[in-house]
Amino acid sequence: MSLQANSAPSFYDAVIVGAGPAGVSCAVWLSRLGFKPLLVDAADAVGGLCRINPFMDDWNASLPGVNGLQVAQNLAQSVVQSKVALRLEWPVQSVRVCAPGFQISGPHNETITGRFLVLATGVKARGLNQAPPDPQILVGPGQHVAGFDFTNKRVAVLGGGDNAFENALFAFEKGAHSVQVYARTVRAQQQFVQQLPVGSLTVGAYTVDPEQRTVNGVAYDVLLVMYGWAPNADFANDLGLACTARGFISSDFETAQTSSDGVYAIGEVASRQHPCVVTALADGVTAAKAIQARLEANAK
């Protein structure tokens, strides 16, 4: 769907893929700088991962007392107020270079073109790839975990980062019978590690059987898989973008420019800074200002 009139231009100064904090920030800044960005997203609403985060976003110093869902609503309001052209439920299928910019293909063989391309597609949770999916195996943090009934459940949490330990503590708070964290290495903040009850952490190699829902041969009612994130930008593979050792898109710190001229990567898809709403917003500004400089240089 599109929230803008059908008379919207067929060529944009920049096409921004992903309507989370980074993408919205970039689009809003470009629009307010006097340019014509287009913001597209496969989802049916603006907000990115904020839309599945019911928890308080206490890290955002500019918006105390709001949760992720409220942040998503604020992002959507900013898009409307800045008169950003927006297409939702528009999953990008492929991207190709076409002078003087890029052609982006979406559903129903529809294409749009832009002088610059901004990848703000965020990340997807890494899972166990079990088939068929098991409703008792919860992958990644979010609303599905917040709404789960952990009462008297035996829970195993897989992962050694902040999300693993935070969600383990959450399961305890929600009445789990027992919670055991399995971490090959511990990377979480010490404040979370220290809150975990003694005996609830196993560090080192472990074996998971998703079908039997066992870890090291011990059966559990629920598995929480907190293996971190993978970049969500398969549609851009043909661009041959350089990536980091962890698979995220490499980008210049000062401009967010990738290894392909005219392509920018911002937010968690580039893993440029500590992932949170504030750093994603800053990334959007970085790319918008870099694009502004190039557009104004070309106009001279």
Side-chain angles (χ1 to χ4, degrees), residues 14 127 190 237 241 274:
Q190 282 303 301
N237 286 345
L241 302 176
H274 177 76

Side-chain angles (χ1 to χ4, degrees), residues 182-196:
Y182 291 87
R184 294 184 174 89
T185 59
V186 175
R187 307 178 308 282
Q189 301 173 46
Q190 282 303 301
Q191 63 171 324
F192 299 143
V193 177
Q194 292 169 0
Q195 292 179 54
L196 203 66

